[in-house]
């Protein structure tokens, strides 16, 4: 089961006078990752490199930012993959210390920086959610709301028209039992409009 991180975690390594500042953090998409990387560049104007790797919703990225190809971003991404993570951004800011590390030394430094940050990170399972809509007569609104609360669903919107329409999401594995229970309690008066428009 894939996991993500509960909060950012940091590390710092000094390797032959070069300083490597690492961070692993939850990240939903590439756009968010690019904002974090730009903020790091702005916050570390003297850094030689800001390398990063992203695994999010089936998409991945590995950026060497001027380091020799395959010595930074790809090894960082491999660490994330090895730990079965998703929705995670790894960044490493490098301040060059004047001593070249060689390809093997760079791979080890970037890998170790990310691995050290992950040692301090709290991992949490990714719970996939399913969005649903339900339409019921006004007399059944209270019953559906109670069932939503008991199922741990998040109620996103309620529209009052001819019928009450509730939009919500709940853990994917709870969706089918929830629909069956509401159908049973509503005696066939609950409507489940398709999400396709």
């Amino acid at each position: 089961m894939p996991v993500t991180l509960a909060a950012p975690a940091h590390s710092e390594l000094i390797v032959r006078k070069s300083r490597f500042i690492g961070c692993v953090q939850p990240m939903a998409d590439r756009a968010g990752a690019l904002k974090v990387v730009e903020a790091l560049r702005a916050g570390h104007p003297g850094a030689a490199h800001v390398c990063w790797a992203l695994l999010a919703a089936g998409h991945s990225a590995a950026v060497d930012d001027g380091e020799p190809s395959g010595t930074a971003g790809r090894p960082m991404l491999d660490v994330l993959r090895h730990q079965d993570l998703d929705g995670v951004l790894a960044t490493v800011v490098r301040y060059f210390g004047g001593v070249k590390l060689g390809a093997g030394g760079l791979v080890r430094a970037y890998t170790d920086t990310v691995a050290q940050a992950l040692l301090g990170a709290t991992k949490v399972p990714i719970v996939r959610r399913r969005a649903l809509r339900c339409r019921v007569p006004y007399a059944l609104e209270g019953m559906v709301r109670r069932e939503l609360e008991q199922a741990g669903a998040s109620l996103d919107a309620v529209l009052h028209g001819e019928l009450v329409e509730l939009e919500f999401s709940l853990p994917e594995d709870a969706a089918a039992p929830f629909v069956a229970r509401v159908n049973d309690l509503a005696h066939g008066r609950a409507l489940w409009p398709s999400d396709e428009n």
Side-chain angles (χ1 to χ4, degrees), residues 103-194:
L106 287 172
V107 169
R108 277 190 302 278
Y110 282 101
T111 299
D112 290 351
T113 303
V114 173
Q116 288 294 319
L118 284 170
L119 285 176
T122 302
K123 297 173 186 164
V124 292
I126 295 174
V127 177
R128 306 272 183 220
R129 295 184 73 81
R130 182 166 169 206
L132 293 170
R133 291 184 297 157
C134 178
R135 289 187 188 144
V136 293
Y138 280 79
L140 297 178
E141 180 182 2
M143 176 274 296
V144 174
R145 284 180 181 264
R146 281 189 301 280
E147 292 300 318
L148 286 169
E149 191 174 320
Q150 288 178 0
S154 12
L155 184 58
D156 302 320
V158 179
L159 306 168
H160 292 93
E162 198 173 304
L163 295 171
V164 179
E165 182 171 318
L166 301 103
E167 296 180 10
F168 56 93
S169 66
L170 68 169
E172 210 166 65
D173 59 352
F178 177 85
V179 169
R181 179 155 172 79
V182 168
N183 282 340
D184 186 45
L185 292 171
H187 303 291
R189 293 182 292 162
L191 304 173
W192 302 90
S194 167

Side-chain angles (χ1 to χ4, degrees), residues 11-79:
S11 65
E12 187 171 328
L13 273 82
I14 305 292
V15 180
R16 296 177 70 187
K17 299 184 181 177
S18 280
R19 183 175 169 214
F20 294 84
I21 304 166
C23 179
V24 290
Q25 62 190 322
M27 186 60 54
D29 55 31
R30 188 180 181 96
L34 291 172
K35 286 179 186 172
V36 169
V37 170
E38 286 309 311
L40 283 172
R41 282 199 177 101
H44 295 273
H49 308 280
V50 178
C51 303
W52 57 281
L54 173 72
L55 269 180
H59 299 280
S60 64
V63 178
D64 293 321
D65 191 40
E67 292 283 27
S69 180
T71 61
R74 177 67 53 191
M76 293 165 62
L77 185 63
D78 289 344
V79 173

Side-chain angles (χ1 to χ4, degrees), residues 90-106:
T91 56
V92 177
V93 175
R94 179 186 181 197
Y95 284 89
F96 183 56
V99 178
K100 293 195 174 188
L101 303 180
L106 287 172

